[in-house]
Structures are given as structure tokens and as C-alpha cells.
Amino acid sequence: MQHLRHCQGLARVSFLRTQRAQLLKGVAPAVTACVVPRWQSSGDYGGQSGQVHNSLSLRWTHLLAGLVAGTGAVLAYGLHNSQAERAATPIEPVTQSSFPIYSQDEVTKHKSLNEGVWVTYKGGVYDITTFISMHPGGDKILLAAGGALEPFWSLYAVHGQDHVLEILSEYKVGELSLEDQKKQQKNADSSDPYSTDPERHPALNVNSLKPFNAEPPPALLSDNYITPNALFFKRNHLPVPRVDPKTYKLEIEGLPGRAVSLTLNDLKTRFPKHTVTATLQCAGNRRSEMNAVKQVKGLNWGIAAISNATWSGARLRDVLLHAGFGPEVASKAQHVQFEGLDRDVTGTTYGASIPLGKAVSEVGDVLLAYEMNGEEIPPDHGYPVRVVVPGTVGARNVKWLGKIVISEEESKSHWQQNDYKGFSPSTDWDTVDFKSAPAIQELPIQSAITQPAEGATVDRSMEEVTVRGYAWSGGGREVVRVDVTVDGGKTWHIAQLENSEKGQKPAPSPPPGQAWAWKLWEATVPLPAEAQELEIMCKAVDNSYNTQPDTVGPIWNLRGVLSNAWHRVKVNINEDSEGEE
């Protein structure tokens, strides 16, 4: 709908209530004519060729997917260019008294294209008929026809953004009666899909409430080698589903014979219990540092969208072999797809996939986990069963696992195809082609400083500063060194690495290729003479001698993923007060 602003003949007229009847007949062709060349000029986003109308449909579908996904990635692809035009097109204020009052019964009569499609939002009544006639997701929007938008919009925080509300305001035709507004308010809590989400620890730094995404304070992150469940970073794409363990079933498809169905008890009793200590990291960890260089799309994660836990459950390999996996399947299939039980209002579930080789490897340690740190997996982390794919980006560790599919193809999920991919710093939303880049699987080498914090003060009388942090590398590559500098890289201090809780014996090095867990580190560094401010920097090295890039600029990308430049923290030095009374 925002693209209408690029058609001068429709920029304002198309939204006037006095001309809705005329527009119902003519607006869709006019908008199509305006939008098609605009989308073509943006590059082949879907990676498809063919006739213009097929390409347009595909791209519109991806735009809708971005909106439904709530990630903002694909949504921004189609909308970012219209921000300037929106800012230059002020909305004329309309007083509440200028609108007629409608009852809910009257609104409910308008729930088809023939009768018109009306919806309510926060006491307003909106006629969105003309929008539906041109929108690829009209069938999904019709789910709210004749009723309130809140239960649907509350799924994704993106709908609460100013520009979305501004667009909606142009469709306003009336006010809902006060009596019906009170009824809606009474039902608001029960209709909120997030109303049954679990309680969270108050120490978490929240990036979004709906869906809930939060990270622990950095200083707490490095206090424990094993992150407590309550402080483990939370990354949800949709509402947390409520799953009854007694009726839970895991479906497995794509193997010879019929689909296999396993209960939670089956997973616990029919397969050996395997335990793995593994670090999970969000692809967007440290995105805030990319935002500081140039704005990106996504949650503004700090350095703590990473945590370490001990996971227990059945090996995916064992379960697949039990279900009929063998050489015949291996000769054809290449991927293992996962579907969660979390779903949006259209029934679309979260999904992802990993290479088959990782899934069935004897040393891949992929788990169908039902325990986290010796307890049942908490609801926020996938109760009753989640996939744990050690060494792989968090997005593939699907929670609330409901289905496994052995396939020749990757998951068709939005989060596999049109998100969680890296691009050149020169790629922008006009030129990005998500089909041109592989889905992120293994993550690069990473480290960050958790103590001291940015802006902290160090006393000169201490003569030295103690620096702490974490380091991890994807793909099972072991971190072998962390270097710390306080003089711009002229000299480097080698940090002491820890692979167990404080006070415990160091754990033996894992087998090559199976270093799934992070290492905490500490370095005590002398304060440079006469320096009033320090910039502390760290970089890690893994056993393949991969190391971190020194700056963010060369690895910047429009989604803000894979952020792993040297981490930098600036602290102040408090000079001695000798001689003062």
C-alpha cells in the first residue's frame, strides 16, 4: 500500500472515502501498472524469471512474508524507499467528531469484497477494501474482516510502528461505539496470543516484548561457564506455544514406508540419552555495532545474544536410523527440515533445515533435546523438545519441534530462504537477492568483552585492569587463543582461557571438530602511563587459525548478521588524588 505514494495520480486520491466506490473498480490495474516497474528496478529478489505478473506475485509474497515473520528483513526490501515520501506527505488531522459512530454489528456486516471489508483498531473503524484488492495477502487480511485487528497485529511488533499506523489512518471511516470498545477491551487479554507466554527474569535486557527477545547483562554472562536457564538469551519469532507433554507427538517424514510418529516418552525410553555442552548464538549477536556504522534491519542485539548450556536428549542420528534412514535415502536426500509448533495466525510455523551430513554424523552430536542444564527444557527454550545443532547458528536449532522431514531440498521457510544470510557491504535493499546467498549454518570465530563495561572508570592507583569475556567458534572449531590490547594493537596480552566453572578442574580438550562450547577468558593488563582513556580490544583465534576482522565496516551487511569484528570497550582512568585533602 505504501507504493501508492509513487503514483502521482493515486498518491492521495486513492484513500479518500468519497471516492472509494470508484476506486473499487479501477484501483488495482492502476496500482499494478505503477508498482511493476518499481519492483523490477530492485533486482530479481525472488531469484525467478518469467512473466512480469509472476515475478510481481512472488515478490509481493516475500514482502508479506517479511511482515508476517516480524523480522523486518523482507518487509524493508519493499518499503524502505517510500520513507522519504511518507515524511514529505503530512496526514491532515481529522477530528473525532467528523466520523460517524458504528456498532460492532454494523462493522461485522462488512467482511467481504462485495459488502466491503471493515476492521476495527483501538476504537477506530477502517474500510480496507481497496487495499485488499491490490494486496497479495488479502486472503490473510480477510481473517480479521468485520472484527478487530489487535489479535492479529499483536503477533508482530512491526505493526505498531508509526509508518504502519499512519497508513492505516488513511482508511479510517468511523468510530466504534463506546459500548463495543469496552467489550473489545474486556476481551483483549484473552485474544492476545502472547498472554500465556512464560515469566522472564527481570535482569534481562529486552529487545522486543512481542515476540519476546532478550539478552542477559554482559557482566552476568561471564559469571558462569554454564549459563543459568533464566539468563540464557531468549530468541522467539512467534508466541510461545503451550504444549501438553502427554499428547505431544513428533512426526518424521521422507523415509521409506509410512511417516513415523514418536511421543515424548518414546524419545526418553527408546533411545539412549546423550548429553552435550553446546553454545548457541543468534546470527544477529552484536548487531548494535553494525547499527553504529550504518542502520541495518533487525533487533538491536548487544554482545549477549549468546549463551552456553548442557543439553540432554536422543541423538537425531539414532532416531532417523530407527525410523528407516539408510543408504537408499542418503543417495537422494540432502537436507533435514525442522518445523516448530509455534505458528502465526495463518498457521505458518517456524521452520529451518540443516545439511543431512550434519544430522546423521556420528560426531555431529545433533540432539532432540528434552533437558537443559539437567532440567526439563523451559517453555522459552522449546519445551518439550527442541533441536540442538552444535556449532550451528541458533536459527537452525528449532524449538517446540513438531515435524522432521528428510528432503532433497532445503526448508522453504521464510527464515531459511529470505533471512539469516550474509551479503556484501555494497548490497542494499534495491539490489539484494536472497536466493544468491547460502543460508547461514556454521558461524565464524567470535569474542567479546563482558567486563569492564563501556564507560566504566578504572582507578590509576590499581595500576592494571582485569578484562573478562567469552570466545567461541562455529563448526566445532576450538578457541585456542584470545588476545587483548589497550594501546591500539601495539602490544597484545594473551588471556587465560577457562572451559569449566570457576574452582573446577579444567576440562580436557574435546575431540577435533567437536568443540561445541565457548571458553571464558580473563586477562590482567597494565595501565599505560599518562593515558586518561583506554580503548580495550580483544580478538580470538580458533584451531583453524581463523581470527576476527579488526573493524566492522568491511563485514557490514544490510541484515546486521555475522558481526564479529574485534570488540572494543572504552573506559576512563581516574587519576590518583595524592596531595589532596
Side-chain angles (χ1 to χ4, degrees):
M1 115 179 67
Q2 297 182 37
H3 298 285
L4 292 176
R5 300 187 184 277
H6 297 271
C7 304
Q8 296 301 318
L10 294 173
R12 301 296 297 171
V13 177
S14 63
F15 299 111
L16 296 177
R17 291 186 289 117
T18 57
Q19 302 197 18
R20 288 191 187 277
Q22 298 175 19
L23 285 169
L24 277 173
K25 297 181 179 180
V27 70
V31 172
T32 302
C34 172
V35 173
V36 168
R38 172 170 167 74
W39 281 88
Q40 285 179 316
S41 67
S42 299
D44 187 6
Y45 172 69
Q48 302 290 334
S49 59
Q51 297 181 355
V52 170
H53 72 273
N54 288 333
S55 178
L56 175 64
S57 174
L58 179 61
R59 294 184 177 103
W60 269 114
T61 300
H62 287 170
L63 176 62
L64 176 68
L67 183 62
V68 169
T71 62
V74 185
L75 174 66
Y77 177 67
L79 302 184
H80 82 290
N81 282 333
S82 64
Q83 292 175 349
E85 289 89 333
R86 286 199 308 273
T89 311
I91 302 300
E92 298 178 5
V94 181
T95 61
Q96 180 174 342
S97 61
S98 67
F99 290 106
I101 304 297
Y102 294 104
S103 69
Q104 182 61 60
D105 288 341
E106 290 174 299
V107 174
T108 304
K109 294 176 182 178
H110 297 80
K111 56 182 180 181
S112 69
L113 291 176
N114 291 333
E115 299 293 333
V117 177
W118 290 14
V119 295
T120 65
Y121 182 72
K122 291 189 174 180
V125 178
Y126 302 86
D127 181 352
I128 61 172
T129 311
T130 56
F131 174 50
I132 289 178
S133 69
M134 69 187 79
H135 195 283
D139 58 335
K140 295 179 175 63
I141 296 173
L142 282 171
L143 292 169
L149 282 175
E150 281 90 340
F152 302 94
W153 276 23
S154 62
L155 278 168
Y156 310 107
V158 67
H159 292 108
Q161 296 179 7
D162 289 344
H163 70 271
V164 177
L165 299 178
E166 177 188 324
I167 293 166
L168 179 65
S169 70
E170 301 183 28
Y171 289 86
K172 190 168 183 176
V173 295
E175 297 283 348
L176 189 64
S177 70
L178 288 176
E179 181 181 355
D180 285 318
Q181 286 189 46
K182 291 178 181 178
K183 290 180 180 178
Q184 282 193 354
Q185 183 62 37
K186 187 176 181 180
N187 295 329
D189 290 341
S190 61
S191 65
D192 182 358
Y194 293 95
S195 62
T196 58
D197 268 17
E199 293 185 6
R200 281 90 180 202
H201 197 286
L204 294 172
N205 296 323
V206 179
N207 283 314
S208 74
L209 284 171
K210 298 179 181 183
F212 189 81
N213 292 282
E215 58 190 304
L220 295 182
L221 187 64
S222 58
D223 277 352
N224 298 280
Y225 180 72
I226 300 296
T227 311
N229 291 354
L231 294 179
F232 201 101
F233 83 98
K234 312 290 190 287
R235 178 61 176 112
N236 296 332
H237 297 84
L238 298 163
V240 175
R242 302 183 71 179
V243 184
D244 184 349
K246 296 179 181 178
T247 60
Y248 170 82
K249 287 187 178 181
L250 173 62
E251 305 294 333
I252 304 175
E253 300 178 359
L255 294 170
R258 296 181 300 172
V260 175
S261 180
L262 297 172
T263 65
L264 179 60
N265 189 60
D266 290 336
L267 292 174
K268 291 182 175 181
T269 60
R270 296 170 65 175
F271 305 97
K273 182 178 178 180
H274 187 62
T275 298
V276 172
T277 299
T279 297
L280 299 187
Q281 180 181 214
C282 179
N285 190 32
R286 299 180 60 191
R287 180 179 282 130
S288 57
E289 294 164 59
M290 288 195 174
N291 266 324
V293 172
K294 183 180 176 182
Q295 190 67 35
V296 300
K297 301 295 182 182
L299 296 170
N300 196 40
W301 292 107
I303 66 167
I306 182 172
S307 300
N308 191 47
T310 297
W311 311 91
S312 298
R315 291 180 189 262
L316 177 59
R317 169 186 167 84
D318 294 342
V319 173
L320 294 182
L321 289 172
H322 166 81
F325 176 82
E328 180 183 350
V329 177
S331 66
K332 298 178 181 179
Q334 298 184 48
H335 304 275
V336 178
Q337 302 176 6
F338 306 114
E339 290 185 16
L341 295 173
D342 48 335
R343 60 187 70 235
D344 65 19
V345 69
T346 70
T348 301
T349 60
Y350 182 85
S353 59
I354 62 173
L356 177 64
K358 171 68 174 178
V360 299
S361 169
E362 293 186 33
V363 296
D365 288 331
V366 181
L367 294 184
L368 304 182
Y370 44 78
E371 289 182 6
M372 178 180 181
N373 293 336
E375 303 174 356
E376 288 184 339
I377 288 186
D380 259 328
H381 297 290
Y383 180 81
V385 176
R386 76 171 299 169
V387 184
V388 174
V389 190
T392 299
V393 63
R396 315 300 168 216
N397 292 251
V398 175
K399 298 186 285 188
W400 313 291
L401 184 65
K403 182 184 291 186
I404 299 173
V405 180
I406 314 302
S407 176
E408 298 178 22
E409 299 179 329
E410 274 190 321
S411 169
K412 297 297 184 183
S413 165
H414 160 81
W415 293 278
Q416 187 82 19
Q417 298 299 324
N418 299 302
D419 203 353
Y420 298 124
K421 296 184 176 184
F423 296 94
S424 163
S426 297
T427 299
D428 58 27
W429 292 102
D430 282 327
T431 59
V432 65
D433 176 7
F434 277 86
K435 298 301 181 186
S436 69
I440 298 171
Q441 293 286 345
E442 297 179 359
L443 286 170
I445 180 74
Q446 177 72 282
S447 72
I449 299 165
T450 58
Q451 299 178 56
E454 177 74 19
T457 298
V458 179
D459 288 335
R460 168 70 69 184
S461 60
M462 300 300 293
E463 298 184 350
E464 57 188 18
V465 58
T466 298
V467 187
R468 297 184 178 89
Y470 66 78
W472 179 77
S473 191
R477 294 177 288 274
E478 184 177 7
V479 171
V480 296
R481 194 177 79 238
V482 172
D483 300 323
V484 180
T485 183
V486 295
D487 58 9
K490 295 178 183 178
T491 58
W492 293 89
H493 302 264
I494 300 175
Q496 179 179 348
L497 303 181
E498 301 173 0
N499 64 355
S500 60
E501 295 290 358
K502 294 176 183 178
Q504 294 183 357
K505 283 186 177 181
S509 291
Q514 290 180 276
W516 309 127
W518 66 11
K519 290 188 179 179
L520 302 182
W521 55 265
E522 181 176 311
T524 300
V525 182
L527 296 177
E530 300 182 358
Q532 295 182 333
E533 182 183 75
L534 291 183
E535 184 176 52
I536 307 173
M537 297 184 287
C538 72
K539 60 182 177 71
V541 181
D542 67 23
N543 62 355
S544 293
Y545 289 97
N546 298 307
T547 192
Q548 298 168 254
D550 58 348
T551 58
V552 175
I555 61 172
W556 183 95
N557 59 87
L558 78 179
R559 278 293 283 121
V561 294
L562 307 169
S563 182
N564 73 324
W566 296 357
H567 190 223
R568 302 162 187 259
V569 169
K570 290 183 179 180
V571 299
N572 301 309
I573 297 180
N574 182 33
E575 298 295 336
D576 293 341
S577 57
E578 292 180 2
E580 297 183 5
E581 296 188 8

